[in-house]
Amino acid sequence: MSRFWSAVVHGLTPYVPGEQPKLDNLVKLNTNEHPYGPSPRALEAIRAATSDALRLYPDPNADALKVALAARHGVQPQQVFVGNGSDEVLAHAFMALLKHDRALWFPDISYSFYPVYCGLYDIAHRQIPLAEDFSIRVEDYLPRADATDADRPGAIIFPNPNAPTGRLLALLEVERIVAGNPDAVVLVDEAYVDFGGESAIALVHRYPNLLVTHTFSKSRSLAGLRVGYAVGHADLIEALERVKNSFNSYPLDRLAIAGAVASVEDEAFFRESCRKVIATRDKLVADMQALGFEVLPSAANFIFARHPARDGAELTSALRKRAIIVRHFKAPRIDQFMRITVGTDAQCGILVDALKEILAP
């Protein structure tokens, strides 16, 4: 600590990103990166944008990307906000839309950046326990008719599918939460929805309190490009734009805009790459269950698994000794689980073979 730090820095508990180890012959299954590369059209667009034009600022509004995303999702460009990865989009949303006198509600087992943002922006929050099966109980987010003002949420955020559990809340259930809280913004964080869920973007026309965030880092295999976006009512988007333009008017560079637009336009590649991940996930789940693991239902590009007879931290360590990296969370209720990214068929095969060896009597 330093006497030069501001008070807010002294009180922060920063987010800890997934490890990026530098090991030879590494099987890296800890940060939910896509196992296959991005669209060739996206790569070509990035190469084409690498020109003398880089001396010029990019379009501060990224209008080309907003138009492409609006066309894909059936909304108007003014209903789309873009930022430097979905984490930046979420950060702006916490400040612009989720900070109120009443507490922000989110699951107790969820994306660990949420409490970090609450600390950064001094947002009162309430963590709602997941059910015993690690699912989100819709009823827990529906205020009673006789609830006092303090018992109603100022806003709600949850990932769908949830992270790190991978469990999906059906669209009808998401709508119940949105419809049941008409006076509160409900933000649905859909970083993984393309691997088995139905997007709540279909609901934004009916609910002015709904904001949905997506990322190009997962299903579009562009984690290194840092592009995220939100879709919602134009009034919500305007709030995000006001915060963004008070923070950084140029969050997306020319290469990011060009690559993201080309990725959106290559729908066939996008669907096929998602299909391959889903097929590998299904096989990995079956293989893990055959080894005696309990695997939560997953609609994401990762699985959440624990073994009834072996400690999760010890299994994680044993895998690491074999240059296989998975994610382990030292947190209540989930400290026996490993979160395992769905890699290629070959990578998942190496993982399963290693677990067979580790579990052998």
Side-chain angles (χ1 to χ4, degrees):
M1 293 187 179
S2 167
R3 63 189 177 90
F4 298 111
W5 289 7
S6 66
V8 67
V9 173
H10 279 281
L12 289 179
T13 302
Y15 173 76
V16 179
E19 184 185 8
Q20 299 286 355
K22 297 177 175 61
L23 301 175
D24 294 333
N25 302 313
L26 179 68
V27 178
K28 188 172 181 296
L29 303 175
N30 68 321
T31 50
N32 300 340
E33 293 150 324
H34 202 295
Y36 307 106
S39 161
R41 289 170 58 177
L43 296 178
E44 180 55 37
I46 293 168
R47 282 191 287 268
T50 307
S51 67
D52 181 68
L54 288 177
R55 65 187 176 81
L56 303 173
Y57 283 108
D59 175 6
N61 295 318
D63 285 329
L65 180 55
K66 290 180 180 179
V67 168
L69 289 168
R72 185 178 191 276
H73 291 297
V75 298
Q76 297 300 311
Q78 61 266 31
Q79 292 179 267
V80 180
F81 176 81
V82 297
N84 186 248
S86 62
D87 285 338
E88 182 181 75
V89 176
L90 289 168
H92 291 341
F94 268 72
M95 180 180 287
L97 299 168
L98 305 186
K99 182 175 182 176
H100 300 281
D101 293 335
R102 298 194 304 273
L104 169 65
W105 292 9
F106 53 84
D108 66 334
I109 299 172
S110 192
Y111 187 27
S112 54
F113 228 135
Y114 296 164
V116 173
Y117 288 140
C118 288
L120 180 61
Y121 298 125
D122 192 25
I123 299 175
H125 59 283
R126 180 186 299 181
Q127 293 177 282
I128 309 299
L130 296 180
E132 287 301 312
D133 65 355
F134 299 99
S135 63
I136 291 175
R137 290 180 294 229
V138 173
E139 290 74 15
D140 290 346
Y141 293 85
L142 301 178
R144 302 184 314 273
D146 61 347
T148 65
D149 191 60
D151 289 328
R152 297 178 182 274
I156 294 170
I157 183 172
F158 58 90
N160 196 40
N162 196 9
T165 67
R167 296 208 61 146
L168 179 73
L169 193 63
L171 185 59
L172 285 175
E173 300 294 88
V174 172
E175 185 171 10
R176 287 180 61 203
I177 295 176
V178 178
N181 292 277
D183 297 322
V185 170
V186 177
L187 195 162
V188 184
D189 182 355
E190 293 187 340
Y192 303 101
V193 76
D194 296 321
F195 298 107
E198 187 176 0
S199 176
I201 289 176
L203 304 176
V204 298
H205 295 296
R206 299 205 298 275
Y207 298 100
N209 62 321
L210 172 63
L211 187 74
V212 184
T213 58
H214 278 218
T215 178
F216 280 67
S217 297
K218 310 303 182 185
S219 57
R220 294 193 178 275
S221 196
L222 287 169
L225 209 58
R226 311 310 303 132
V227 180
Y229 64 98
V231 180
H233 190 279
D235 288 348
L236 302 185
I237 301 303
E238 182 182 355
L240 297 177
E241 296 284 1
R242 290 172 65 87
V243 170
K244 167 247 180 183
N245 286 319
S246 301
F247 176 75
N248 177 12
S249 296
Y250 301 95
L252 293 186
D253 59 52
R254 286 175 173 270
L255 306 186
I257 293 170
V261 168
S263 176
V264 172
E265 292 174 346
D266 196 351
E267 184 71 15
F269 183 92
F270 164 72
R271 291 189 177 278
E272 176 58 18
S273 64
C274 289
R275 186 200 64 76
K276 289 194 293 185
V277 171
I278 292 168
T280 302
R281 181 189 68 207
D282 291 346
K283 183 178 187 306
L284 177 59
V285 169
D287 289 343
M288 295 288 287
Q289 290 173 334
L291 293 176
F293 282 88
E294 174 194 355
V295 184
L296 297 188
S298 176
N301 68 334
F302 59 85
I303 64 171
F304 210 46
R306 64 181 170 187
H307 196 278
R310 299 296 292 268
D311 180 73
E314 291 179 2
L315 288 173
T316 301
S317 178
L319 288 170
R320 185 185 180 86
K321 291 176 181 176
R322 292 161 173 80
I324 303 169
I325 309 297
V326 300
R327 191 85 187 261
H328 176 256
F329 298 90
K330 297 177 182 178
R333 297 183 67 191
I334 60 171
D335 60 348
Q336 292 305 306
F337 282 88
M338 297 181 294
R339 193 196 68 188
I340 303 170
T341 301
V342 177
T344 63
D345 288 337
Q347 288 175 322
C348 291
I350 293 170
L351 168 74
V352 171
D353 288 343
L355 288 170
K356 288 178 182 177
E357 180 181 307
I358 293 166
L359 295 171

